Amino acid sequence: MMHTTNYRDTFIEVAEDCPAEHGVEPPLTENPTIATLHYRLIAEHPYSRTSDDVIFETWAQRNGVAVDDEAARARLFAKGQACLRSSPLGKRYGWGLHHDADGRVALVPRESDEYAALAADPTLSHTRAMRSRRA
């Protein structure tokens, strides 16, 4: 059985305890962090990848696996993976994640008019990024 992290017609709002007042690009480091990889994959090509694509490509880059290795992808998703609600982008860096009808994802900075419109859109499912700390 293949598990999935994909959402459709969903807006993941920033975590309640997110410290960023606006969308901040994660810092570039010698060894890219998960936040940096997620940011690059989504920001450079909005609405071109699903959550599963982002999760797999991040894992593949960190583990030296080809991003077109379907067998490795099947092995990774044979067990459940954390979805983008656990991404540092929504927990720490101030980015909402909008998933369109086809499950493709884009970043939305929390200070933007687009964020406010998506957060108020009754046609979307709404959830929040996971908190960094327990309430």
Side-chain angles (χ1 to χ4, degrees), residues 59-76:
W59 178 86
Q61 287 181 37
R62 292 176 65 99
N63 290 281
V65 173
V67 296
D68 60 353
D69 186 335
E70 290 301 319
R73 186 181 178 112
R75 284 192 304 276
L76 182 69

Side-chain angles (χ1 to χ4, degrees), residues 4-17:
T4 185
T5 65
N6 291 341
Y7 288 96
R8 294 189 189 300
D9 292 320
T10 299
F11 187 53
I12 300 175
E13 298 172 36
V14 299
E16 293 166 357
D17 61 350

Side-chain angles (χ1 to χ4, degrees), residues 43-97:
E44 291 175 4
H45 301 283
Y47 298 115
S48 68
R49 289 177 172 90
T50 65
S51 175
D52 283 356
D53 295 336
V54 172
I55 300 297
F56 177 71
E57 290 180 37
T58 299
W59 178 86
Q61 287 181 37
R62 292 176 65 99
N63 290 281
V65 173
V67 296
D68 60 353
D69 186 335
E70 290 301 319
R73 186 181 178 112
R75 284 192 304 276
L76 182 69
F77 287 107
K79 62 180 190 280
Q81 299 298 319
C83 69
L84 288 177
R85 287 186 57 226
S86 68
S87 174
L89 296 177
K91 291 172 70 168
R92 182 177 185 331
Y93 292 102
W95 296 98
L97 294 135

Side-chain angles (χ1 to χ4, degrees), residues 29-41:
T29 56
E30 190 173 323
N31 294 317
T33 63
I34 288 172
T36 301
L37 292 171
H38 284 181
Y39 180 84
R40 280 194 202 142
L41 289 169

